[in-house]
Amino acid sequence: AQSVAQPEDQVNVAEGNPLTVKCTYSVSGNPYLFWYVQYPNRGLQFLLKYITGDNLVKGSYGFEAEFNKSQTSFHLKKPSALVSDSALYFCAVRDYKLSFGAGTTVTVRA
Amino acid sequence: EPEVTQTPSHQVTQMGQEVILRCVPISNHLYFYWYRQILGQKVEFLVSFYNNEISEKSEIFDDQFSVERPDGSNFTLKIRSTKLEDSAMYFCASSLSGAGGLSGEQYFGPGTRLTVT
């Protein structure tokens, strides 16, 4: 079975500092990896995906993620965090369905 | 920008009652999904739907659940006889491609919060 793990329940950073949200995956075959963000009282919004090609994937709102096959990781990054980035972030892996991680709550303080 | 919509935003029902949760997927999408998120837990897959039939379902999706696309726009999830443990946020999603095109990202609606009392 395919799965992802998000080892951190919470990440706290100061505005302007780099933000990293960690994700590791376990799949058989090629991974199809996604990041979603959930703001309060909103649905899950697609941020970016890795299917194949460049290991560094760029997505919405200045986010990027690095696919690392040897470490089976797909960490989400943003070079300079904003207060408005405070939200719940989910990593997911897909075959016919999305399998989500438990989520990481990001708090960016002013 | 097209988006997935869901109604109602919050549904309160008594145990044993039937509920229908409604979704309008993005108009040119072909694959439809329901997920749920029990408070404090992971988002879990329930069912996928394509070409007017269920393509995959999880062990959660038992005989109490059914899905339907009654017309060209709506996609519904019915729970026949609700239990307390059905209380959760239910998300509808749609995608242009499905498992055959694994790259297809799924677009999610805002969710329906179901409370069973």
Side-chain angles (χ1 to χ4, degrees):
Chain A
Q2 307 199 109
S3 65
V4 291
Q6 294 179 242
E8 299 162 318
D9 292 334
Q10 288 201 337
V11 169
N12 299 308
V13 297
E15 189 171 37
N17 281 1
L19 169 63
T20 298
V21 187
K22 295 180 181 176
C23 173
T24 57
Y25 65 88
S26 174
V27 304
S28 53
N30 294 322
Y32 298 90
L33 297 162
F34 298 79
W35 275 101
Y36 283 81
V37 60
Q38 185 179 28
Y39 297 100
N41 301 315
R42 300 285 299 276
L44 297 159
Q45 293 181 39
F46 169 76
L47 276 180
L48 51 78
K49 66 185 179 187
Y50 172 82
I51 304 299
T52 186
D54 288 343
N55 290 340
L56 187 63
V57 178
K58 293 190 184 296
S60 307
Y61 312 121
F63 283 94
E64 57 190 29
E66 186 169 10
F67 173 71
N68 187 316
K69 189 172 183 178
S70 62
Q71 297 184 3
T72 61
S73 67
F74 188 57
H75 300 332
L76 181 70
K77 299 180 181 184
K78 187 169 184 180
S80 178
L82 301 172
V83 171
S84 56
D85 293 328
S86 298
L88 183 56
Y89 290 79
F90 291 97
C91 180
V93 63
R94 179 172 181 174
D95 44 22
Y96 61 87
K97 61 176 176 148
L98 283 169
S99 297
F100 288 88
T104 299
T105 299
V106 170
T107 303
V108 182
R109 59 187 186 276
Chain B
E1 185 176 324
E3 58 183 19
V4 177
T5 60
Q6 290 185 244
T7 54
S9 57
H10 192 189
Q11 173 90 47
V12 180
T13 190
Q14 289 190 325
M15 196 167 52
Q17 295 296 303
E18 174 184 287
V19 294
I20 297 176
L21 310 183
R22 301 179 194 280
C23 168
V24 179
I26 293 173
S27 61
N28 64 334
H29 283 186
L30 302 175
Y31 296 80
F32 314 110
Y33 312 83
W34 284 100
Y35 291 80
R36 78 172 186 190
Q37 185 180 28
I38 295 172
L39 190 63
Q41 297 187 23
K42 288 185 183 185
V43 177
E44 303 171 289
F45 169 78
L46 291 178
V47 66
S48 60
F49 191 86
Y50 170 71
N51 201 26
N52 282 320
E53 60 183 30
I54 291 173
S55 44
E56 300 287 347
K57 60 183 182 179
S58 72
E59 60 275 8
I60 302 168
F61 194 88
D62 61 21
D63 292 343
Q64 293 299 313
F65 291 88
S66 62
V67 289
E68 194 178 31
R69 189 154 161 82
D71 52 42
S73 58
N74 289 284
F75 179 51
T76 62
L77 174 70
K78 183 193 290 186
I79 309 175
R80 241 178 291 280
S81 177
T82 50
K83 308 184 190 80
L84 293 176
E85 54 264 37
D86 294 328
S87 295
M89 180 75 89
Y90 288 81
F91 292 107
C92 173
S94 68
S95 65
L96 192 54
S97 63
L102 284 165
S103 60
E105 56 265 31
Q106 296 178 17
Y107 292 85
F108 284 76
T112 293
R113 181 166 297 286
L114 177 64
T115 302
V116 182
T117 61

